[in-house]
């Protein structure tokens, strides 16, 4: 090493989660009962504030086939746009009945995944801007060497989406629509459909965050 | 003295990680984006992360030797793994959620899709979890996993390894990887490890034999430290919000 270099550590290198990622992160999906409290895809408790929504979809490979071994996590603000994290600096109290995070695995047969959550409020952007309501999402799976980060926006927030600094930072405007989930009503439930295409036509935008 | 104001996380050095498209690891061919990732300036979304309280954890959550034992102990080499989690600037990462999973001593996973002939162990589950302490320290106990065959090329074998996952202070630090054991000759031929471009970074995934921490007539010990991305401090304009 050159004598004039100061010491800084390198980030530990990523490796794929592999096909059996469920053993460690969703043991119940692998039929393993070890933990009393298991993490899951239910972000809503009885007293959680906000509009209940279901977020669902599939993840497709470069041939258009669904990944049936993919693991998905989401991270989002509460109904007022506050994150349940010490690093949120807005100085407002967060919904005490909201973890803001959930984890799920696609169904081993169909590849469908879903979360039961609430629609997040708008969060401040950089330099006094305002971001449109969104959910951060990351996917891990066999064949994916480093977790792929994306964002879910909502098609009934067209005005806010048009002003969102992250969406507007995507130079190729037609690609922005790959991040917009479609609202439908299904059996009296609000559902947002968000399909992820890893590769090829209509490839979902992935971020280096 | 005024309170420290934190800015963004330092950017991820992509040269220190595997690229998405790595044809030697065949599954990556149809599961890697064709487009370049789009880099964004961080916001509150990227610098925040969930917080887990210690009281959700069971007493044996970090003891893979006992947390699935039914009518006896699992078969295999008893090992303790410990180390520190810190950020790239050397600060300890406190209260991070560390989750691990692995095969048993035969190289067989307790998973519906694993059909390898290696024997299952009715007393071994293969998953555990813990929070790092105020010094960034973690420790867990397990059975050393066996290597196992897989279909990449037909006669491919993984070195013994333990998968791990970290959720720490910022969403930008989210990391899943695998660590290996010092001296395993399969390390040099593994196409998954070879997706990492540099020798130095491949070596950073090898746990080292920690002889003075062996426990006599009981367990051996490996030392493995983990580095996450770190945040810069802000002394002038704060543009994060």
């Amino acid at each position: 090493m050159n004598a004039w270099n100061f010491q800084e550590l390198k980030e530990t290198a990523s490796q794929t989660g592999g096909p059996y990622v469920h053993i460690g992160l969703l043991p119940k999906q692998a039929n393993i009962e070890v933990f009393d409290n298991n993490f899951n895809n239910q972000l809503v408790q009885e007293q959680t504030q906000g509009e209940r929504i279901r977020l669902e979809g599939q993840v497709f490979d470069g041939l258009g086939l669904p990944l049936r071994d993919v693991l998905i996590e989401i991270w989002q603000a509460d109904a007022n746009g506050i994150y349940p994290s010490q690093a949120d600096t807005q100085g407002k109290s967060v919904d005490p009945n909201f973890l803001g995070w959930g984890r799920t695995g696609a169904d081993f047969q169909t590849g469908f995944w879903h979360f039961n959550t609430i629609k997040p409020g708008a969060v401040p952007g950089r330099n006094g801007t305002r971001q449109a309501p969104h959910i951060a999402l990351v996917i891990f799976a066999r064949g994916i060497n480093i977790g792929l980060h994306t964002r879910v926006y909502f098609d009934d927030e067209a005005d806010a989406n048009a002003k969102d600094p992250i969406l507007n930072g995507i130079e190729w405007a037609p690609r922005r629509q790959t991040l917009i989930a479609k609202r439908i009503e299904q059996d009296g439930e609000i559902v947002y459909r968000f399909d992820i295409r890893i590769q090829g036509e209509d490839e979902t935008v992935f971020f280096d965050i | 003295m005024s309170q420290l104001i934190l800015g963004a996380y330092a950017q991820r050095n992509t040269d220190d990680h595997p690229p998405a498209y790595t044809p030697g690891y065949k599954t990556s061919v149809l599961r890697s984006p064709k487009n370049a990732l789009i880099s964004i300036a961080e916001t509150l979304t990227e610098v925040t992360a969930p917080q887990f309280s210690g009281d959700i954890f069971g007493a044996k959550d970090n003891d893979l030797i006992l947390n699935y034992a039914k009518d006896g102990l699992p078969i295999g080499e008893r090992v303790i793994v410990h180390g520190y989690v810190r950020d790239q600037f050397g600060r300890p990462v406190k209260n991070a959620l560390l989750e691990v999973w692995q095969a048993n001593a035969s190289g067989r996973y307790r998973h519906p899709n694993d059909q390898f002939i290696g024997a299952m162990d009715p007393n071994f589950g293969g998953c555990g979890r813990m929070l790092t302490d105020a010094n960034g320290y973690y420790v867990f106990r397990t059975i050393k996993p066996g290597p196992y065959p897989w279909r990449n090329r037909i006669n491919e074998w993984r070195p013994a390894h333990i998968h791990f996952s970290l959720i720490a202070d910022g969403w930008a630090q989210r990391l899943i990887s695998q660590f290996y054991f010092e001296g395993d000759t399969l390390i040099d031929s593994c196409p998954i490890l070879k997706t990492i471009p540099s020798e130095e970074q491949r070596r950073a995934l090898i746990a080292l034999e920690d002889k003075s921490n062996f426990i006599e007539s009981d367990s051996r010990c490996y030392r493995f430290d983990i580095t996450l991305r770190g945040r810069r401090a802000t002394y002038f304009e704060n543009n994060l919000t």
Side-chain angles (χ1 to χ4, degrees):
Chain A
M1 185 175 287
N2 295 326
W4 52 82
N5 276 0
F6 57 88
Q7 283 294 313
E8 184 179 312
L9 303 165
K10 289 181 184 295
E11 184 186 13
T12 299
S14 178
Q15 294 264 263
T16 178
Y20 309 133
V21 64
H22 317 85
I23 293 174
L25 302 188
L26 292 165
K28 283 171 89 89
Q29 193 175 349
N31 304 317
I32 301 174
E33 293 286 349
V34 165
F35 305 134
D36 291 337
N37 300 294
N38 285 277
F39 301 127
N40 59 36
N41 57 351
Q42 309 294 317
L43 286 77
V44 178
Q45 302 167 35
E46 201 176 320
Q47 290 159 320
T48 303
Q49 301 158 28
E51 181 187 20
R52 269 63 177 159
I53 63 168
R54 177 183 163 106
L55 179 65
E56 66 172 29
Q58 290 170 294
V59 181
F60 299 100
D61 69 13
L63 282 182
L65 301 172
L67 272 62
R68 299 176 301 165
D69 53 9
V70 66
L71 181 123
I72 299 179
E73 293 179 0
I74 57 173
W75 169 239
Q76 65 167 98
D78 71 8
N80 295 313
I82 317 295
Y83 282 104
S85 163
Q86 283 173 353
D88 186 295
T89 51
Q90 297 180 75
K92 298 175 189 160
S93 55
V94 67
D95 183 342
N97 298 300
F98 191 60
L99 179 61
W101 172 85
R103 171 186 284 165
T104 196
D107 182 272
F108 287 148
Q109 269 76 48
T110 65
F112 275 99
W113 55 268
H114 80 274
F115 292 91
N116 292 318
T117 185
I118 54 121
K119 195 172 174 190
V123 176
R126 296 172 66 86
N127 292 313
T129 58
R130 196 138 196 87
Q131 303 187 68
H134 64 276
I135 295 176
L137 184 151
V138 66
I139 67 177
F140 296 100
R142 175 171 67 105
I144 296 177
N145 290 325
I146 186 160
L148 292 170
H149 286 280
T150 187
R151 281 181 170 211
V152 182
Y153 290 84
F154 305 94
D155 70 347
D156 56 336
E157 298 282 348
D159 291 346
N161 292 342
K163 295 177 195 139
D164 182 81
I166 302 291
L167 285 174
N168 286 321
I170 301 168
E171 180 187 345
W172 306 272
R175 299 199 67 205
R176 295 174 193 167
Q177 55 82 27
T178 66
L179 303 184
I180 315 287
K182 287 181 179 47
R183 180 181 175 115
I184 46 176
E185 284 194 35
Q186 199 171 276
D187 307 326
E189 199 181 12
I190 306 298
V191 177
Y192 286 92
R193 171 86 189 198
F194 187 71
D195 287 329
I196 299 167
R197 291 175 178 79
I198 296 180
Q199 184 188 86
E201 196 178 342
D202 293 325
E203 183 175 299
T204 300
V205 168
F206 296 107
F207 294 113
D208 165 33
I209 65 171
Chain B
M1 207 167 128
S2 61
Q3 206 195 339
L4 189 66
I5 297 170
L6 292 174
Y9 283 90
Q11 78 175 10
R12 174 164 275 160
N13 187 349
T14 46
D15 292 338
D16 289 339
H17 291 276
Y21 175 73
T22 48
Y25 172 32
K26 299 181 183 183
T27 316
S28 75
V29 171
L30 284 171
R31 292 183 170 200
S32 49
K34 289 249 194 283
N35 285 283
L37 299 182
I38 294 180
S39 296
I40 60 172
E42 289 178 3
T43 70
L44 282 179
T45 305
E46 287 74 37
V47 302
T48 52
Q51 295 167 179
F52 301 96
S53 72
D55 54 20
I56 66 166
F57 295 88
K60 293 176 185 165
D61 280 9
N62 69 337
D63 186 351
L64 284 71
I65 291 182
L66 293 184
N67 71 15
Y68 197 82
K70 312 284 188 219
D71 53 8
L73 292 170
I75 290 172
E77 299 179 35
R78 297 169 62 89
V79 294
I80 290 167
V81 180
H82 70 154
Y84 291 88
V85 183
R86 58 259 198 277
D87 73 18
Q88 69 193 92
F89 302 118
R91 305 180 192 106
V93 179
K94 305 168 188 175
N95 291 319
L97 173 67
L98 173 59
E99 296 166 285
V100 297
W101 66 101
Q102 60 167 98
N104 68 18
S106 302
R108 176 79 182 269
Y109 283 95
R110 185 170 291 283
H111 191 284
N113 297 333
D114 188 359
Q115 301 299 321
F116 174 42
I117 192 172
M120 287 292 279
D121 185 333
N123 293 307
F124 189 73
C127 58
R129 60 188 190 179
M130 65 223 83
L131 291 178
T132 59
D133 73 9
N135 298 311
Y137 182 75
Y138 74 89
V139 57
F140 68 95
R141 183 162 82 159
T142 191
I143 296 297
K144 191 177 174 192
Y148 65 86
W150 60 298
R151 282 198 188 177
N152 186 55
R153 293 172 297 180
I154 194 68
N155 197 13
E156 215 79 80
W157 284 76
R158 295 304 317 282
H161 64 278
I162 295 181
H163 296 264
F164 64 95
S165 162
L166 277 156
I167 298 178
D169 301 314
W171 193 240
Q173 296 175 300
R174 185 79 185 86
L175 181 72
I176 286 182
S177 189
Q178 311 177 21
F179 73 81
Y180 305 86
F181 295 89
E182 182 178 1
D184 187 338
T185 54
L186 289 167
I187 286 172
D188 288 337
S189 55
C190 177
I192 288 181
L193 197 49
K194 281 184 191 170
T195 61
I196 299 171
S198 78
E199 172 73 16
E200 178 190 11
Q201 283 294 80
R202 292 193 290 272
R203 286 174 68 164
L205 294 181
I206 300 175
L208 301 177
E209 190 176 71
D210 185 356
K211 265 196 178 146
S212 52
N213 273 308
F214 286 13
I215 299 174
E216 64 276 13
S217 307
D218 187 330
S219 300
R220 286 186 297 139
C221 183
Y222 284 88
R223 167 72 182 253
F224 181 67
D225 293 340
I226 300 165
T227 305
L228 299 181
R229 291 167 68 189
R231 286 181 84 170
R232 298 187 302 268
T234 297
Y235 298 99
F236 304 101
E237 292 83 359
N238 178 11
N239 300 322
L240 198 60
T241 54

